[in-house]
Amino acid sequence: MISWRDGVVRAVRGSWAGAVELEVGLDRPAGDRTSVRALAYTGLVGEPEVGDRVTLTVSALVRGLGTGGYAMVVALPDRLPADPRPGPGHVVKARYTPLQPMLLGVDEQESPWHEQMREADDLGALAVVVADLHSALPAVLAGVRAAGGGRRVAYVMTDGGALPLAFSRSVAQLREAGWLAATITAGQAFGGDHEAVNVHTALLAARHVVGADVVVVTQGPGNLGTGTRWGFSGVAAGEAVNAAAVLGGHPVAALRVSEADPRDRHRGVSHHSTTAYGRVALRPADVVVPVADGPLWSRVREQAATLCEPVGLHRLVEVPVAGLRGALEDSPVRLSTMGRGLDEDEAAFIASAAAGAHAATLTA
C-alpha cells in the first residue's frame, strides 16, 4: 500500500544530474513529521520551485526503511511539465506504473546502434566486475584507476535496487570526475546514457557501443534483504556472472566483505556472495581476494576458497593491497556502505578495489 501526502516546496536543498532535493511542508503529518526531505526526478515530473504544490508518496519514509530518507515527488499538479517533443524510442520502463517513461533502447529498431547491436554476440574477453552492493562501484573504480593506464569504464546498473539512475548521487559525481565513461541501465532501471532490455544487451552495448575496457555491474542504491538465504536482491550478481561468461566476457567476482557488520552472516565474506557466486553462478569467474595480514583476511581467503576448490568452477585470484587505500582516499565521492565509511569498514572497500585492480590487468 502507498501513503500519500500533499505539500508545498519550502526550499530547494540541492540538485544533481536528473534529480532535485527539496524541503516540503506537509498538509498533514506523516507519522510525527510535518515537513520532509523529498526527491523529484526532473525527467519525470519537471523542475520544482519554491512555492509549488507537490503530491508525494511517503510510505518508505513512514516505515523507516533504509531507502526511506526521502519522500518521493509524484507530480506538480498545478504546473505539469510540457509534453516531450516527438522522437524515437518505444522501450517502456518501470512498466505499468503511473510514471512509466518511454525511452530509446540502445538495440531497438529506431536506435542508431540497431544494426551494430543486431549482430553483436560476443564481448571479446571484456573484463566484467560484478558486485552485490551499489556502494562497491566507486571502490571498484578506484582499484581500476590504481592500476593506471586510463582505462575506459562503463557502469551497468541492474534493476534490483533503485530504478532511476538519477537516485545515485555517486554516479553523477563519478561522471563529473571522469571516472565513468558511460552508464547503461538494464531491465526496468532507467536514466543511463543508454537503455538496455536486459543485462546481456547492456554488456554488449558496453563493448560495441561504448567501447569500454572494463565494465562494472551492480544494482542501484537500495539493496533489498530479508535475512533469508535466497531473499535478497544481490542474487542477481550470480546471474550477471552467467551473462558475462555466456557472451564471452571475463567475469570478475567482487566479494562483499565486512569487518564491522554486526550481523555474523555478513562478517568476513557475506552470505550474499557465497550464495550468488556459489549457487547462482554456473559459469566460472575470477574470485578476487586481497592479500593482507590479519585474521579477517585469513578468514576471507578460507571462505573464498570454498567457492573455488570443491567444484573447481571459479578461479581464486589473490591481489596485493599496496596502494589501494590511497586510491580509495582519492575517490571523488564519499565512500559509504550500510552507513559505514572507509575508516569504519575498510575491508569492504579494499575487497571491491582489489577486484577493480585485477580487472584492469585483464585489458589489452
Side-chain angles (χ1 to χ4, degrees), residues 132 232 255-258 264-276 303 307:
D132 176 15
F232 63 98
L255 294 172
R256 177 175 171 179
V257 171
S258 177
D264 187 64
R265 65 182 184 274
H266 292 304
R267 296 293 287 268
V269 177
S270 167
H271 81 100
H272 285 195
S273 289
T274 56
T275 298
Q303 291 172 303
L307 296 172

Side-chain angles (χ1 to χ4, degrees), residues 257-306:
V257 171
S258 177
E259 57 187 330
D261 199 300
R263 300 163 296 180
D264 187 64
R265 65 182 184 274
H266 292 304
R267 296 293 287 268
V269 177
S270 167
H271 81 100
H272 285 195
S273 289
T274 56
T275 298
Y277 302 138
R279 302 286 300 279
V280 180
L282 303 177
R283 293 295 187 98
D286 291 352
V287 176
V288 177
V289 176
V291 178
D293 295 329
L296 170 74
W297 294 115
S298 296
R299 177 182 179 182
V300 166
R301 193 192 187 288
E302 291 174 2
Q303 291 172 303
T306 65

Side-chain angles (χ1 to χ4, degrees), residues 37 134-139 168-171 173-174 179 328-344 349:
R37 286 194 311 158
H134 187 72
S135 57
L137 175 61
S168 176
R169 196 178 313 202
S170 292
V171 168
Q173 294 172 337
L174 290 165
W179 280 36
L328 290 165
E329 290 173 345
D330 288 339
S331 172
V333 306
R334 184 176 66 90
L335 299 175
S336 178
T337 184
M338 308 303 290
R340 298 182 295 272
L342 180 59
D343 290 333
E344 290 77 31
F349 304 104

Side-chain angles (χ1 to χ4, degrees), residues 170-213:
S170 292
V171 168
Q173 294 172 337
L174 290 165
R175 287 301 308 276
E176 290 174 4
W179 280 36
L180 277 175
T183 58
I184 307 167
T185 35
Q188 294 296 293
F190 62 91
D193 297 309
H194 302 285
E195 305 288 348
V197 173
N198 52 44
V199 172
H200 296 74
T201 55
L203 291 172
L204 289 168
R207 171 69 175 84
H208 296 279
V209 174
V210 174
D213 301 307

Side-chain angles (χ1 to χ4, degrees), residues 70-355:
Y70 289 111
M72 308 304 294
V73 176
V74 179
L76 282 64
D78 301 326
R79 197 165 59 84
L80 297 175
D83 289 343
R85 295 178 180 178
H90 72 274
V91 173
V92 178
K93 295 200 175 185
R95 288 190 283 273
Y96 306 106
T97 65
L99 293 178
Q100 57 182 8
M102 186 173 293
L103 305 160
L104 177 65
V106 69
D107 51 353
E108 68 169 289
Q109 292 87 340
E110 296 173 284
S111 167
W113 301 284
H114 175 68
E115 293 301 318
Q116 197 171 352
M117 289 295 294
R118 186 169 65 176
E119 301 301 323
D121 192 49
D122 189 88
L123 295 177
L126 178 66
V128 178
V129 182
V130 178
D132 176 15
L133 298 177
H134 187 72
S135 57
L137 175 61
V140 172
L141 296 179
V144 173
R145 293 178 67 85
R151 292 165 180 83
R152 187 170 173 82
V153 184
Y155 169 46
V156 170
M157 190 176 97
T158 63
D159 54 14
L163 297 184
L165 182 83
F167 188 76
S168 176
R169 196 178 313 202
S170 292
V171 168
Q173 294 172 337
L174 290 165
R175 287 301 308 276
E176 290 174 4
W179 280 36
L180 277 175
T183 58
I184 307 167
T185 35
Q188 294 296 293
F190 62 91
D193 297 309
H194 302 285
E195 305 288 348
V197 173
N198 52 44
V199 172
H200 296 74
T201 55
L203 291 172
L204 289 168
R207 171 69 175 84
H208 296 279
V209 174
V210 174
D213 301 307
V214 176
V215 182
V216 184
V217 181
T218 74
Q219 62 185 324
N223 174 67
L224 174 62
T226 64
T228 63
R229 178 173 295 175
W230 291 100
F232 63 98
S233 51
V235 293
E239 295 163 354
V241 166
N242 294 334
V246 78
L247 291 171
H250 194 132
V252 176
L255 294 172
R256 177 175 171 179
V257 171
S258 177
E259 57 187 330
D261 199 300
R263 300 163 296 180
D264 187 64
R265 65 182 184 274
H266 292 304
R267 296 293 287 268
V269 177
S270 167
H271 81 100
H272 285 195
S273 289
T274 56
T275 298
Y277 302 138
R279 302 286 300 279
V280 180
L282 303 177
R283 293 295 187 98
D286 291 352
V287 176
V288 177
V289 176
V291 178
D293 295 329
L296 170 74
W297 294 115
S298 296
R299 177 182 179 182
V300 166
R301 193 192 187 288
E302 291 174 2
Q303 291 172 303
T306 65
L307 296 172
C308 305
E309 294 169 359
V311 294
L313 180 64
H314 299 310
R315 302 169 291 265
L316 186 70
V317 177
E318 295 183 301
V319 173
V321 300
L324 294 183
R325 170 75 193 211
L328 290 165
E329 290 173 345
D330 288 339
S331 172
V333 306
R334 184 176 66 90
L335 299 175
S336 178
T337 184
M338 308 303 290
R340 298 182 295 272
L342 180 59
D343 290 333
E344 290 77 31
D345 202 354
E346 181 185 70
F349 304 104
I350 290 290
S352 295

